[in-house]
Amino acid sequence: MIYMSLTAGIVGLPNVGKSTLFNAITKKNILAANYPFATIDPNVGIVVVPDKRVEVLEEMYMPERTIPTTYEFTDIAGLVKGASTGEGLGNKFLSHIREVDAVVEVVRCFDDKNIIHVDGNVDPIRDIEVINVELVMSDLEIIDNRINRIGKKAEMTKDKKELLEINTLKKIKMGLEQNIPVRKLDLSEDELDVIKSFNLITEKPIIYVANVSEDDIINGGNEYYEKVKEYAKNENSEVVMICAKIESELAELNDSDKMAFLQDLGIPESGLDQLIKKTYSLLGLATFFTAGSDEVKAWTFRKGMKAPQCAGIIHTDFERGFIRAEVMSYDDLVRYGSEKEVKENGKMRLEGKDYLMQDGDICYFRFNV
């Protein structure tokens, strides 16, 4: 089974609200102390990807169990200036973040004299740049080591594959030395393939989380948030405004109380839900469903995957012995009201090996092993 587990690593300087946000994510109470390094081991929290379609399918099929799709957040210990040269937790921190799919960078966008800022005052852009420089330096070290190891040999042997690698590495090195993250370099498919195994941090997509005060979230932001938004726009990244304090209060409530609380504040959806959805789409992910009286289940797949690969997410045998998929779209099922009606209206399709799966497909895979 190729399980599409998805992980986002939460990073930030100490005291920016990272642990408060993580507590809200997991409802686990890790140590949200007002000092650096309160979170030393990366803590993992599993969240459910909010999807109204799962609830609708549950009402239609009345299954014995319903399994939504989930997502992993790793809380990575507070980063400090100089981490790439071993300050604070140094490279231990940086090795944890190499393992994630996306980086969620929490930025302090609130004033509070009771919560010390490591650099004395609130300046979100400076904070972002402190972190980004550490990530760049960390990648640069990996690239330099690799160039030193294979450079001479590649140029001597003139091996095509090794030459491609060395040229790609030099291109990346030039970029990083100008503080340009790998994700902003124009790399070809072949070049991306060459660097896949290095797990470069600056290649990963990034979302900035602007952590604001309660008043500012109700008023739609503040000048700090606007600066972060501008910064993110210039590098084609996403930004989500969140109030970690409100999120941790929401985490204590059941769904109906949560809705009422958000309505009272005049906020359409929780910051955490926005963050999960944005990270999901940033990674090019979508959802297909399997539905029946025994189980309704949501499955995560990468856009561009074909039917047999998606069948393989459920079980490797399904991919190996794939014959065809019976597919209907969620929208058609809702429009016609039942599977029977979908069939009678000719909207149930039989798809073969080349079918590109779509978000919202409801599938029944036929296979023979």
Side-chain angles (χ1 to χ4, degrees):
M1 179 167 131
I2 332 158
Y3 182 62
M4 296 284 302
S5 84
L6 169 69
T7 56
I10 304 185
V11 301
L13 294 171
N15 304 333
V16 295
K18 196 166 63 71
S19 295
T20 312
L21 176 64
F22 186 74
N23 286 349
I25 283 171
T26 55
K27 301 185 190 170
K28 282 185 203 155
N29 244 338
I30 54 166
L31 187 61
N34 182 17
Y35 54 87
F37 313 127
T39 42
I40 293 191
D41 277 307
N43 293 271
V44 174
I46 308 262
V47 294
V48 167
V49 176
D51 193 333
K52 287 272 182 283
R53 296 173 298 184
V54 175
E55 293 160 34
V56 173
L57 292 173
E58 189 176 21
E59 279 169 27
M60 282 181 137
Y61 285 90
M62 306 295 276
E64 287 165 35
R65 61 183 178 278
T66 302
I67 307 169
T69 178
T70 58
Y71 184 137
E72 233 171 62
F73 275 104
T74 305
D75 181 35
I76 294 163
L79 182 56
V80 292
K81 203 171 186 166
S84 55
T85 55
E87 284 295 316
L89 295 168
N91 289 331
K92 182 177 172 208
F93 155 86
L94 292 160
S95 68
H96 289 319
I97 195 176
R98 289 202 184 282
E99 305 307 314
V100 303
D101 299 306
V103 177
V104 173
E105 193 171 310
V106 183
V107 188
R108 177 166 168 174
C109 292
F110 63 90
D111 290 307
D112 183 340
K113 54 185 187 299
N114 298 319
I115 299 176
I116 44 180
H117 187 291
V118 278
D119 285 319
N121 67 327
V122 177
D123 180 347
I125 303 307
R126 174 202 58 210
D127 292 0
I128 287 174
E129 285 177 345
V130 164
I131 288 188
N132 291 358
V133 162
E134 294 306 327
L135 304 183
V136 161
M137 298 294 285
S138 165
D139 279 353
L140 197 52
E141 190 186 345
I142 285 182
I143 297 291
D144 278 339
N145 288 344
R146 184 69 182 164
I147 288 176
N148 292 338
R149 194 171 318 136
I150 69 155
K152 290 243 176 8
K153 183 177 161 242
E155 275 151 18
M156 275 160 59
T157 60
K158 295 276 184 274
D159 176 79
K160 243 166 113 175
K161 204 173 158 209
E162 285 183 347
L163 279 172
L164 172 69
E165 182 177 347
I166 197 77
N167 292 332
T168 306
L169 294 173
K170 285 179 174 171
K171 186 172 174 179
I172 291 171
K173 181 180 161 76
M174 261 175 67
L176 291 172
E177 282 171 345
Q178 291 163 23
N179 214 6
I180 302 169
V182 177
R183 65 178 171 276
K184 285 183 76 177
L185 297 172
D186 199 13
L187 299 177
S188 69
E189 286 297 320
D190 289 345
E191 289 171 325
L192 287 169
D193 231 33
V194 163
I195 59 165
K196 211 173 185 170
S197 62
F198 300 145
N199 265 343
L200 298 171
I201 306 173
T202 65
E203 191 195 341
K204 299 176 193 297
I206 195 163
I207 285 190
Y208 296 102
V209 170
N211 184 17
V212 302
S213 70
E214 290 168 81
D215 289 345
D216 288 331
I217 199 118
I218 293 163
N219 298 326
N222 59 24
E223 56 178 330
Y224 298 138
Y225 166 66
E226 291 304 325
K227 283 180 182 167
V228 175
K229 213 162 110 181
E230 189 61 26
Y231 186 93
K233 192 176 146 197
N234 287 335
E235 58 157 53
N236 279 331
S237 294
E238 290 277 2
V239 66
V240 177
M241 181 170 53
I242 238 173
C243 170
K245 199 158 170 274
I246 287 178
E247 295 300 322
S248 62
E249 287 166 22
L250 284 169
E252 303 300 320
L253 305 173
N254 64 32
D255 284 350
S256 59
D257 290 347
K258 198 184 275 185
M259 290 296 294
F261 185 44
L262 286 168
Q263 272 170 347
D264 284 350
L265 294 172
I267 302 170
E269 97 183 301
S270 83
L272 185 54
D273 283 357
Q274 287 178 52
L275 176 61
I276 296 167
K277 286 178 185 167
K278 276 198 173 170
T279 318
Y280 204 70
S281 78
L282 186 72
L283 288 167
L285 299 172
T287 307
F288 75 88
F289 304 95
T290 46
S293 55
D294 55 339
E295 178 184 273
V296 161
K297 184 162 183 179
W299 304 86
T300 298
F301 70 100
R302 284 191 194 281
K303 289 173 187 165
M305 281 173 87
K306 292 184 174 170
Q309 292 171 289
C310 286
I313 294 172
I314 301 175
H315 200 288
T316 42
D317 284 353
F318 284 23
E319 182 171 10
R320 217 167 36 141
F322 180 89
I323 300 170
R324 60 177 180 271
E326 289 178 17
V327 185
M328 61 178 163
S329 77
Y330 168 82
D331 291 341
D332 282 340
L333 179 63
V334 169
R335 185 177 303 126
Y336 294 109
S338 76
E339 213 170 285
K340 185 170 165 284
E341 288 292 319
V342 170
K343 280 180 183 161
E344 283 173 7
N345 282 279
K347 294 290 186 184
M348 177 74 80
R349 311 185 306 275
L350 287 179
E351 300 289 1
K353 290 185 172 171
D354 288 332
Y355 175 65
L356 275 177
M357 291 282 283
Q358 301 299 313
D359 183 57
D361 277 348
I362 301 167
C363 302
Y364 180 75
F365 294 107
R366 296 199 176 277
F367 70 102
N368 183 16
V369 176

